[in-house]
Amino acid sequence: MTISDRDIARRMATATALARECAALALEHRRDPARMNVQAKGRRDFVTAADLAVERLIRERISREFPGDGFLGEEGGGASAPLLWVVDPIDGTNNFARGLPSFAVSIAFCVDGRPVVGAIAEPVTGAIYTARKGGGSFRDEAPIRVSDVGALDQAMIEYGYAERRPVADNLDLARRLLDAGCDVRQVGSAALGLARVAEGCLDAYCELHLNSWDVLAGMLLVEEAGGRFSDFLAGDGMTRGNSVLAATPGLVDDLKRVTGL
Ligand code: IPD
């Protein structure tokens, strides 16, 4: 599918504006306990009224501004399309629901199944991370780069887990990282974890399974910031998700060996 630079720039502007607007909407919900309405979706898995309201806002805006584009969102689903928006309205919902600060709004726009625009908002700090294919990665419009850490026993790495993979496998991943001497974190928002890798605060992020709405904006941020990313979109990664390994160039080979990802 061909799309002009001008049309990509329009979508970049929309993604950035939406990320900012949705960060404000999420914070409004968080300030008012009556608007939180936390519901369990499954074991260790929640949805709040803010997840639904943020996704609705983004869907409506996209269908008005870009009526021919497809949409895939965590809460409302969707299907693949040549021009596709992939959105996690609140990534880190469990943190958000408990009043913890690490959650994000993640918006990606893809052409032919690959992200070309990404925007992640971190509502609590007000930071907006953006990336455009071939155009670099930015935090609040300042360029960001991955770190130059190249030794596992100097590395700070986040790993995530969810019910989608067995507990034993999740524990084994953590054990492998700890055995290799890594300083391991588990913060609870994959999108923010990937943004932290892009800006060099973390040196890698890994998880046995994530969905495309958790990943695609962060994947573009990491790649455009000079980092390396596993082949997340292989097979049916867009619709069914995949494992994730995002790392600095200096760590990626050792981490592949240690984690098997
Ligand atoms: C979750 C977060 C978490 C990751 C889980 C995801 P959600 O997304 O990104 O950090 O470890 O695998 O499901 O449910 O908060 O949007």
Side-chain angles (χ1 to χ4, degrees), residues 206-223:
C206 51
E207 185 156 349
L208 297 177
H209 178 269
L210 280 166
N211 286 302
S212 53
W213 43 80
D214 304 309
V215 170
L216 293 186
M219 174 173 154
L220 188 61
L221 273 164
V222 168
E223 288 177 341

Side-chain angles (χ1 to χ4, degrees), residues 10-11 61-70 85:
R10 281 178 60 216
R11 286 165 173 84
R61 184 74 50 81
I62 298 301
S63 71
R64 201 167 62 233
E65 286 189 27
F66 306 106
D69 293 3
W85 293 81

Side-chain angles (χ1 to χ4, degrees), residues 229-251:
F229 216 96
S230 50
D231 194 3
F232 177 79
L233 288 162
D236 48 10
M238 177 65 87
T239 48
R240 299 178 66 89
N242 218 332
S243 59
V244 164
L245 173 62
T248 65
L251 287 174

Side-chain angles (χ1 to χ4, degrees), residues 41 45-46 51 74 88 90-94 158 160-162 164 186-191 205 207 209-211 213-214:
K41 287 201 281 191
D45 194 13
F46 296 91
D51 294 74
E74 175 173 16
D88 192 342
I90 306 226
D91 182 66
T93 299
N94 293 10
E158 181 168 356
Y161 70 87
R164 299 180 297 273
Q186 211 286 318
V187 178
S189 162
Y205 183 97
E207 185 156 349
H209 178 269
L210 280 166
N211 286 302
W213 43 80
D214 304 309

Side-chain angles (χ1 to χ4, degrees), residues 103-178:
F103 60 93
V105 178
S106 176
I107 302 173
F109 170 70
C110 303
V111 178
D112 291 335
R114 299 218 66 95
V116 297
V117 161
I120 293 176
E122 184 184 19
V124 167
T125 61
I128 307 282
Y129 297 86
T130 54
R132 182 175 164 174
K133 181 84 187 153
S137 288
F138 301 84
R139 176 187 166 131
D140 299 333
E141 293 170 18
I144 51 176
R145 293 295 294 170
V146 296
S147 81
D148 57 7
V149 169
L152 288 177
D153 64 359
Q154 315 279 297
M156 184 179 276
I157 296 180
E158 181 168 356
Y159 93 103
Y161 70 87
E163 290 293 316
R164 299 180 297 273
R165 289 294 179 269
V167 170
D169 295 355
N170 285 312
L171 287 175
D172 188 52
L173 176 61
R175 184 192 57 73
R176 286 166 183 243
L177 295 170
L178 289 166

Side-chain angles (χ1 to χ4, degrees), residues 8-40:
I8 291 178
R10 281 178 60 216
R11 286 165 173 84
M12 180 85 252
T14 296
T16 310
L18 272 170
R20 193 166 282 119
E21 206 175 316
C22 291
L25 180 58
L27 289 177
E28 266 175 42
H29 276 256
R30 206 171 80 128
R31 274 192 290 270
D32 180 359
R35 289 179 79 186
M36 286 297 285
N37 193 17
V38 181
Q39 306 278 340

